[in-house]
């Protein structure tokens, strides 16, 4: 126990202070009620997002503001790396890889658009976040590479080179980055679970639970994509899923994908632990996609319940760090969704469904 | 020391005067309204709420949108003294809403233009990066195919058309370079974005552009092109700034109207908030609330005037309202301190609001907080720096109270600096009280009254005893005023607790006075400590008897356990509370020690001799800055901590409710 206190006291106190600054639901409501993007941005002034407001005020460019937001988040995670060591540092780095992987994906997409699809990416490069997260990567050279071999060479010192090598031919043949991108996402979770597997006791319990629900959510989001955009058969869709989900087994997901009554299945899976969610589960939807969307909403709720439990429990565990990571990801997602919705003038009801 | 006396009003006015009543209550802003519903069963079911013609939500939304526009410009709207409180209807709300929508739309258009300019800048910056990275050494055909979005053209125009072309190309992210002149024609090299080519071509045609072959080697012109891009970028950045100002100017253009609408919406919002507290019958409107006794006559007169005496007002004293129950029905606290003491009142309210009728410790906190701070941070120079920083900080409205507190703290530090003879850590004048630095360094005059660190510790313990004693005295006064005789006599913060504390101090003094070798005589110990200890035992059974509880044998075990726990709390509590004040000495010593350390470092970097080198002076300046920041902060926090935990806990429960009338100045 003393070791736990020594390991987590400082970093968890710091993260708790940061968690307390994460905006609450009324803030997002106010943002959502704003008439347009300039009004929504105005609400960010004098908040922790004031820098984002300033960028928008100067450029009128939402993408520049989003870039600032992402850079700010990366700074926070890089900052956390300074305060931890040993296993914890490896876990923080593994968590931070999500930002790096997103940046690598974005850089490859730009390269792909320019070289394979022959599209202009002239101003798009400026929106790319090039900050170092874990590995030192020259994104500018990546965008300007002549072929995938050059990109692979530029990433030789990172784990991504192997993935590019493995998927290069299929990407070039199919003219699609699908295999590479899904490979990168799967790597993120595989690497993270490898680091988390070294934990024990309460740390392990919290990690399995929080990351497990996160994996459930990721799998559901992918299934929706596979069904709506790629029209994959079930056998292929299941192949891509990330193992180690918490509530949804492979079978449950397969049945959900095949259009079975997943709400019935979920009720059994969740049992009495989440009695409050029964109303959401009772909603009967005929379309498979809607059912999957309900599943996603339920899992999102479960994740926030789990995070609340962790935050009100024993304070010296990895749970606080993982909760911070999850809450921050949610915060970014919500903020970006609302601001983009304002930019493209989407109806509030539609946006609410996306939050 | 005590909050202002309050009086409760229950009023009934004819419904036709409800509007006039609301206006006068808002203007006077002296009534802390209480919902009629809080009176419970005494409120008749036939009474109903008042519903405004327009929902408050819409008015609030408009107000907030206006704030969203004007606050980034540093404009903070406020309701003027002589405001006309006008009715608001749906048409007004719709009209104001569309007026604001128009501004919002204009701002959105400006931001869109900003976005376009910004994107042109990004494109140009990308061209600039490409030119810098790769130069123009590569074969132009290769460049064209690789960067298919970049268009490069070589051509010539008449020299007379150059300015016209230059002006017409300004709006495009394009750069051109003059590469030479021949027969009155200027040869130009042009780089542009392919997307704009169609439009640019029109401009070129108008200027009489004649295309030429693109030379293979353009590298020698690289610098010139970079310069042209810089010029273009400077122009676009300037445009971006202009648009940013345009957005501000757009809001400023309608500032007056926006402020007027804001005032109207805000007054309407407050108006409906007052009416939320009313209940109405068929013909009458009922209201109730608290107001300072001193304001009673003025408000009564005003209400009678605006209702043409068609009102009934019943005034009740605090004691007459106790049967209405606690919570919202209890009297609120209006602290009665001069404006000068506002920063200290802030410290008190941060802990809690004193219950109505109990002691407000603000004036005492002035003395305790400042003397604690001064003892811990005694230096004239450093104190004056803090005071000046505070004076400067007072200009920022948000930090006004905190900055004023800094001024007070700085002056207290300076005063104690004079008493201890410390001026930026140096002794420019003789101390008026004792030589703190001399004691810490061990160089103190033999005949001085205070000679050792133990003397300083003793001083702070005496200070602590006085503060705790004062806390107990305040508690006795509070208990007396509340007629809580049992707690006054037998509580650990009551007279019995005070007795134990006094006896403990006497015993400790006796022990120290006898070189830690003997305690007071046994008879004295029994009389001073034994008796109150035994009396504490009576507390449990007496409480039992007073509350008429039925006796059962296990209660005896409870009495004994409670007694033991209470004794432990009394003895350990008073002891730790008193010793806690030694931190005042500790921080004072640390302050002196830190300054000494910097003087030693300054001497070391200055080398042999008495004079300080530039580096030595720099060390002292930085040392003083560090001490001001570090010690100033810790002295401030520790002084606050001692007040909260050693002083306030003796008498202050912070269970009061702040007097908060709705007025035109209400901020929330």
């Amino acid at each position: 126990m003393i070791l736990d206190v020594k390991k987590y006291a400082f970093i968890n106190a710091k993260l708790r202070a940061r968690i307390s600054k994460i905006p609450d639901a009324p803030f997002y409501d106010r943002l959502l009620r704003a008439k347009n993007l300039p009004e929504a941005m105005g609400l960010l002034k004098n908040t922790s997002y004031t820098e984002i407001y300033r960028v928008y005020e100067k450029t009128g460019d939402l993408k520049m503001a989003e870039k600032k937001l992402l850079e700010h988040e990366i700074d926070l995670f890089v900052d956390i790396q300074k305060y931890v060591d040993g296993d914890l540092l490896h876990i923080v780095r593994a968590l931070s890889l999500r930002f790096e992987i997103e940046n690598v994906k974005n850089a490859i997409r730009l390269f792909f658009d320019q070289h394979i699809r022959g599209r202009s990416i002239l101003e798009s490069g400026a929106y790319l976040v090039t900050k170092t997260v874990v590995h030192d990567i020259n994104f500018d050279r990546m965008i300007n590479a002549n072929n995938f071999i050059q990109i692979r060479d530029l990433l030789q010192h990172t784990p991504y080179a192997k993935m590019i090598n493995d998927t290069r031919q299929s990407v070039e043949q199919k003219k699609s980055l699908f295999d590479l991108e899904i490979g990168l996402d799967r790597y993120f979770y595989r690497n993270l679970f490898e680091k988390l597997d070294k934990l024990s006791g309460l740390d392990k319990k919290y990690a399995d639970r929080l990351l497990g629900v996160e994996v459930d959510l990721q799998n559901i989001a992918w299934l929706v994509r596979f069904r709506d955009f790629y029209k994959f058969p079930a056998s292929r869709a299941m192949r891509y899923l990330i193992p180690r989900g918490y509530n949804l087994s492979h079978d449950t997901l397969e049945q959900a994908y095949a259009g079975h009554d997943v709400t019935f299945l979920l009720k059994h899976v969740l049992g009495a632990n989440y009695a409050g969610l029964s109303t959401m589960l009772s909603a009967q939807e005929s379309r498979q996609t809607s059912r999957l969307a309900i599943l996603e909403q339920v899992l999102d709720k479960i994740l926030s319940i789990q995070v609340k439990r962790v935050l009100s429990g024993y304070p010296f565990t990895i749970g606080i760090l993982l909760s911070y990571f999850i809450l921050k990801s949610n915060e970014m997602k919500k903020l970006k969704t609302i601001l983009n919705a304002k930019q493209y003038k989407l109806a509030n009801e539609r946006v609410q469904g996306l939050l | 020391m005590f909050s202002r006396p309050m009086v409760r009003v229950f009023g009934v006015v004819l419904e036709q005067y409800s509007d006039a009543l609301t206006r006068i209550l808002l203007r006077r802003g002296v009534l802390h309204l209480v919902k009629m519903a809080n009176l419970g069963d005494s409120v008749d079911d036939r009474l109903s709420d008042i519903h405004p013609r327009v929902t408050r939500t819409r008015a609030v939304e408009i107000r907030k949108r206006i704030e969203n526009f004007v606050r980034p410009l540093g404009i903070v709207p406020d309701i003027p003294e002589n405001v006309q409180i006008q009715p608001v209807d749906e048409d007004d709300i719709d009209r104001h809403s569309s007026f604001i929508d128009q501004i919002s739309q204009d701002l959105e258009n400006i931001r869109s233009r900003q976005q376009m300019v910004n994107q042109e800048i990004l494109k140009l910056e990308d061209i600039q990066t490409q030119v810098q990275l790769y130069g123009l050494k590569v074969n132009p055909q290769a460049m064209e195919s690789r960067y298919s979005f970049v268009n490069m053209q070589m051509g010539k125009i008449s020299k007379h058309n150059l300015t016209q072309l230059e002006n017409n190309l300004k709006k495009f992210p394009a750069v051109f370079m003059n590469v030479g002149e021949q027969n009155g024609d200027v040869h130009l090299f042009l780089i542009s974005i392919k997307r704009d080519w169609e439009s640019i071509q029109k401009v070129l045609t108008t200027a009489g552009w004649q295309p030429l072959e693109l030379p293979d080697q353009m590298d020698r012109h690289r610098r010139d092109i970079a310069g042209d891009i810089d010029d273009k970028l400077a122009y676009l950045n300037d445009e971006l700034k202009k648009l940013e100002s345009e957005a501000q100017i757009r809001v400023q253009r309608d500032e007056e109207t926006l402020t007027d609408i804001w005032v109207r919406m805000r007054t309407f919002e407050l108006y409906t908030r007052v009416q939320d507290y009313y209940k109405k019958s068929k013909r009458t409107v009922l209201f109730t609330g608290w107001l300072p006794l001193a304001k009673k006559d003025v408000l009564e007169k005003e209400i009678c005037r605006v209702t043409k005496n068609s009102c009934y007002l019943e005034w009740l004293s605090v004691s007459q309202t106790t049967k209405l129950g606690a919570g919202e029905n209890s009297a609120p606290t209006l602290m009665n301190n001069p404006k000068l003491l506002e920063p200290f009142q802030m410290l008190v309210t941060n802990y809690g609001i004193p219950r109505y009728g109990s002691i407000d410790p603000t004036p005492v906190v002035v003395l305790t907080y400042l003397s604690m701070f001064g003892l811990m941070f005694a230096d004239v120079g450093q104190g004056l720096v803090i005071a000046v920083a505070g004076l400067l900080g007072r200009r920022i409205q948000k930090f006004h109270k905190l900055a004023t507190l800094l001024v007070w703290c700085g002056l207290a530090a300076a005063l104690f600096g004079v008493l201890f003879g410390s001026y930026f850590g140096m002794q420019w004048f003789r101390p008026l009280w004792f030589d703190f630095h001399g004691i810490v360094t061990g160089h103190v005059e033999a005949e001085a009254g205070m000679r050792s660190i133990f003397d300083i510790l003793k001083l702070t313990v005496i200070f602590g005893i006085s503060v705790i004693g004062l806390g107990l005295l305040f508690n006795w006064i509070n208990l007396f005023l509340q007629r809580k005789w049992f707690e006054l006599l037998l509580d650990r913060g009551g007279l019995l607790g005070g007795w134990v504390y006094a006896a403990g101090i006497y015993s400790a003094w006796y022990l120290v006075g006898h070189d830690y070798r003997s305690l007071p005589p046994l008879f004295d110990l029994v009389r001073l400590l034994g008796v109150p200890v035994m009396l504490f035992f009576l507390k449990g059974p007496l409480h039992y008897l007073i509350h008429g509880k039925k006796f059962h044998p296990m209660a005896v075990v409870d009495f004994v356990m409670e007694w033991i726990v209470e004794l432990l709390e009394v003895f350990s509590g008073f002891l730790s509370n008193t010793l806690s004040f030694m931190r005042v000495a500790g921080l004072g010593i640390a302050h002196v020690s830190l300054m000494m350390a910097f003087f030693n470092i300054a001497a070391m970097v200055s080398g042999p001799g008495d004079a300080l080198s530039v580096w030595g002076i720099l060390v002292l300046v930085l040392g003083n800055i560090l001490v001001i920041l570090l010690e100033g902060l810790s002295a401030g926090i520790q002084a606050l901590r001692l007040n909260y935990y050693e002083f306030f806990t003796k008498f202050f429960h912070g269970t009061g409710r702040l007097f908060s009338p709705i007025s035109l100045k209400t901020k929330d």
Side-chain angles (χ1 to χ4, degrees), chain A residues 35-36 38-39 42-43 45 53 56-61 64 114 120 122-123 126-127 140 144 345, chain B residues 65 68-69 72 101 104 108 111 114-115 118-119 122-123 126 133-134 146-147 149 193 240 244:
Chain A
K35 290 275 170 187
N36 53 26
E39 285 197 33
L43 292 170
K45 195 177 157 67
Y53 166 77
Y56 181 74
E57 190 189 30
K58 278 199 171 88
T59 63
D61 196 342
M64 288 298 273
Q114 186 174 221
S120 164
L122 200 54
E123 81 272 7
Y127 301 124
D140 193 47
N144 291 297
K345 305 200 181 304
Chain B
R65 285 181 74 191
N68 201 359
F69 290 145
D101 283 346
S104 188
E108 195 173 15
R111 298 295 181 213
Q114 265 182 291
Q115 185 185 5
N118 187 58
Q119 285 180 346
L122 296 179
K123 284 172 193 168
D126 203 29
L133 273 176
Y134 307 105
R146 190 167 157 215
Y147 300 100
F149 42 85
I193 309 298
L240 205 57
E244 192 184 340

Side-chain angles (χ1 to χ4, degrees), chain B residues 154-158 182-183 185-188 207-212:
Chain B
M154 189 79 187
K156 61 177 182 178
I157 57 162
S158 164
Q182 202 176 31
N183 304 329
D185 285 337
V186 192
H187 290 239
L188 297 172
W209 176 269
Q210 294 170 46
L212 297 170

Side-chain angles (χ1 to χ4, degrees), chain B residues 475-650:
Chain B
N475 193 41
W476 300 340
I477 295 170
N478 281 343
L479 292 171
F480 178 80
L481 292 171
Q482 289 170 58
R483 292 172 172 74
K484 290 186 173 175
W485 311 118
F486 183 80
E487 284 84 357
L488 176 62
L489 287 172
L490 294 174
D491 203 63
R492 65 170 177 271
L495 291 168
L496 201 54
W499 181 354
V500 172
Y501 187 45
I505 292 164
Y506 168 76
S507 305
W509 231 250
Y510 189 94
L511 182 69
V512 175
H514 290 79
D515 292 333
Y516 304 93
R517 285 192 185 136
S518 66
L519 283 165
L522 185 63
F523 177 69
D524 281 356
L525 275 180
V526 170
R527 198 176 48 171
L528 292 171
L529 282 168
V531 173
V533 162
M534 294 315 293
L535 285 173
F536 264 120
F537 183 73
L538 293 178
K539 192 179 164 186
L542 276 174
H543 190 264
Y544 224 75
L545 280 174
I546 290 167
H547 290 87
K549 290 183 182 172
K550 199 178 169 187
F551 181 79
H552 60 91
M554 279 308 286
V556 178
V557 180
D558 288 347
F559 298 153
V560 174
M561 286 308 294
E562 278 172 22
W563 179 56
I564 292 169
V565 171
E566 180 113 50
L567 288 179
L568 280 172
E569 280 182 6
V570 168
F571 282 99
S572 66
F574 278 131
L575 183 68
S576 62
N577 288 162
T578 309
L579 295 182
S580 187
F581 280 86
M582 285 165 77
R583 79 185 63 224
V584 174
L587 263 109
I589 293 164
H591 181 223
V592 174
S593 306
L594 260 175
M595 283 315 299
M596 276 163 52
F598 283 114
F599 274 106
N600 285 338
I601 298 169
M604 281 157 69
V605 296
S606 298
D610 287 340
L612 284 174
S613 67
V614 177
W615 289 111
I617 293 167
L618 193 68
V619 166
L620 282 187
V621 171
L622 289 175
N624 268 288
I625 293 171
L626 191 78
V627 166
I628 289 170
L629 293 175
L630 215 71
E631 288 285 303
L633 187 69
S634 59
I637 292 169
Q638 293 300 334
L640 193 64
R641 184 230 172 273
L642 284 169
N643 271 288
Y644 281 176
Y645 294 106
E646 320 304 350
F647 182 44
F648 281 15
T649 48
K650 299 287 169 291

